[in-house]
Amino acid sequence: MSLIQLLQIAQSANYWTAAATAAVLYDQVLIFAQEIDFIWNRKWSVTTILYFIARYSGSLSMVANAACKYMIQFRIKKQW
């Protein structure tokens, strides 16, 4: 496989990562009002804390992953 093909595959992976991140964030925006009503206005408990960890750790990870992929690809393109 040539370097050009590898870069094209990496670019395609970046597009899929961006699309998946956008879909997850869009879902969170749509459900945010219900989340405030049902979760945020409750008394804090272990379950509530676990919900927030499960709900937002994945999103944070996806955004960080997308940012890292972008920065790595930008550096590769800059070196060429």
Side-chain angles (χ1 to χ4, degrees), residues 11-54:
Q11 182 66 38
S12 177
N14 286 344
Y15 289 148
W16 283 107
T17 300
T21 303
V24 168
L25 294 177
Y26 179 70
D27 174 63
Q28 287 185 345
V29 168
L30 289 179
I31 298 175
F32 190 69
Q34 292 175 346
E35 183 179 313
I36 289 174
D37 291 339
F38 295 117
I39 304 294
W40 290 35
N41 292 330
R42 296 176 58 162
K43 181 180 175 186
W44 284 82
S45 66
V46 174
T47 307
T48 308
I49 293 169
L50 289 175
Y51 171 81
F52 282 116
I53 290 170

